[in-house]
Amino acid sequence: MKRFAGIRFGLIGVVMGIALCAQTAAAQEWSQPWARERIAKSPRHSEWVTVKHDGRNVETLVVYPESKEKRPVVLVIHEIFGLSDWAQELADEVAAAGYIAVAPDLLSGMGPNGGRTKDFPAGAVTEAVSKLNPDQVTADLNAAADYSKKLPASNGKLYVAGFCWGGGQTFRFATNRGDLSAAFVFYGPPPGKDAMSRIKAPVYGFYAGNDARIDATIPDTVAAMKAAGKTYEPVTYDGAGHGFMRAGETPDDTNPANKKAREDAWKRWKTLLAQ
């Protein structure tokens, strides 16, 4: 692991067209049986709620920590693969760390027969996510955030975290939401420089060493955020590939650097959340 001190181009740079999210072929589905098995064994309470706004119904997963005290909320923004089994398992891990995880399915109402991520046929989710209207995404996230802050178990503190496509949406959401305590961007691109002036929360980046496309955005982002007087702290994990938070726990992943990056990133993330 190293804090950014210049571009470190890895040997692997994979461009996934408009989706702009590199993953292994095995990860290019919303269904991960191994993640479902882990969710089934979780002792934590989870529930699906329908968040309504402006004529839309956003199906949202809420996972509660085992705590007697009111706890902060982490709004989880899914990858280009929609609210996959892995994204739901990640939400459970956030709850295990002591936070209320709120994970909206941003494909709600967009699937066959008005369904969500789980209702799309194989190979159709990434295209659907990549074509989502940015204003609709912002409205959905705001609605989910407003809902979560009113939960009886919430202490009113709000964080946002996202991965891949969701990492970029996390950075962009920070330009549109003024009450965030922090934004955690996992290997996602930055918003436009002009929008950065609206950011109020500190932004923490988690990047893969072997992810030249995303890593190439870091120097300009550092400069732009500094010029805007904003807090931006990127960390790059050597040897890891794009999507290491998922790959690092995938049973058949063969890159040990992904597992280490995931462990190190989790440690850093939980430390930052506890500040």
Side-chain angles (χ1 to χ4, degrees), residues 212-237:
R213 175 182 59 83
I214 293 296
D215 291 350
T217 68
I218 299 175
D220 285 347
T221 304
V222 169
M225 289 287 281
K226 183 177 181 179
K230 309 301 179 180
T231 298
Y232 173 60
E233 297 181 8
V235 170
T236 301
Y237 299 89

Side-chain angles (χ1 to χ4, degrees), residues 34 69 76 92 94 101 107 191 223 269:
W34 56 268
E69 302 175 349
V76 178
D92 183 74
V94 169
L107 285 179
W269 189 11

Side-chain angles (χ1 to χ4, degrees), residues 171 175 190-199 220-221 224-225 228 230:
F171 216 149
T175 72
K193 293 180 181 179
D194 292 343
M196 292 179 185
S197 62
R198 301 198 301 267
I199 295 176
D220 285 347
T221 304
M225 289 287 281
K230 309 301 179 180

Side-chain angles (χ1 to χ4, degrees), residues 112-200:
N113 300 314
R116 56 183 181 84
T117 294
K118 68 179 181 61
D119 301 307
F120 279 85
V125 168
T126 56
E127 181 179 5
V129 172
S130 68
K131 291 182 178 180
L132 285 174
N133 182 295
D135 291 337
Q136 177 179 298
V137 171
T138 299
D140 285 356
L141 293 175
N142 273 324
D146 291 342
Y147 170 86
S148 68
K149 291 188 68 174
K150 296 176 183 177
L151 290 170
S154 168
N155 67 5
K157 199 170 186 178
L158 176 66
Y159 298 95
V160 63
F163 309 82
C164 179
W165 176 86
Q169 295 302 318
T170 292
F171 216 149
R172 192 175 71 84
F173 190 54
T175 72
N176 292 304
R177 185 86 187 190
D179 61 347
L180 295 174
S181 293
F184 304 100
V185 177
F186 288 81
Y187 33 85
K193 293 180 181 179
D194 292 343
M196 292 179 185
S197 62
R198 301 198 301 267
I199 295 176
K200 295 183 179 180

